[in-house]
Amino acid sequence: MATCPECDFEIDVDEYDVDKGDSLECDNCGVRLEVVSLNPIELDVVDEEEEEEEEDEEVDDEDEEGRDDEDDEDWDQ
């Protein structure tokens, strides 16, 4: 069991089914949560702005990797 830090709702979380960093959603208030500790299980509210920034960074990293591959092809020709 874990408690939603937003609404104090008891969430049934099996410690063997989750890993640190996993995301969940509170069934009561719908807020996105992240598993921050496993023993005991602790949840923290995911900051939507931080999450969007991380997703943007991942996309930027993928774009850069794709450009590197294209540059390598130019050298081979």
Side-chain angles (χ1 to χ4, degrees):
M1 282 294 213
T3 303
C4 174
E6 188 73 18
C7 68
D8 293 326
F9 183 73
E10 291 284 327
I11 301 173
D12 186 22
V13 179
D14 185 352
E15 65 183 278
Y16 300 108
D17 288 340
V18 294
D19 290 318
K20 190 174 179 181
D22 284 354
S23 293
L24 307 171
E25 187 173 303
C26 177
D27 294 331
N28 187 53
C29 68
V31 73
R32 288 186 39 91
L33 304 167
E34 179 181 1
V35 178
V36 294
S37 175
L38 294 176
N39 194 8
I41 294 179
E42 291 183 30
L43 305 173
D44 195 12
V45 176
V46 174
D47 182 11
E48 295 295 328
E49 289 179 15
E50 266 185 42
E51 185 176 275
E52 288 176 10
E53 288 174 8
E54 288 176 5
E55 289 175 1
D56 289 343
E57 289 174 6
E58 289 175 7
V59 170
D60 290 344
D61 290 345
E62 290 173 5
D63 288 345
E64 289 176 12
E65 289 175 7
R67 286 189 207 119
D68 289 343
D69 292 343
E70 292 171 4
D71 292 341
D72 290 344
E73 291 175 10
D74 292 341
W75 288 103
D76 292 339
Q77 294 176 357

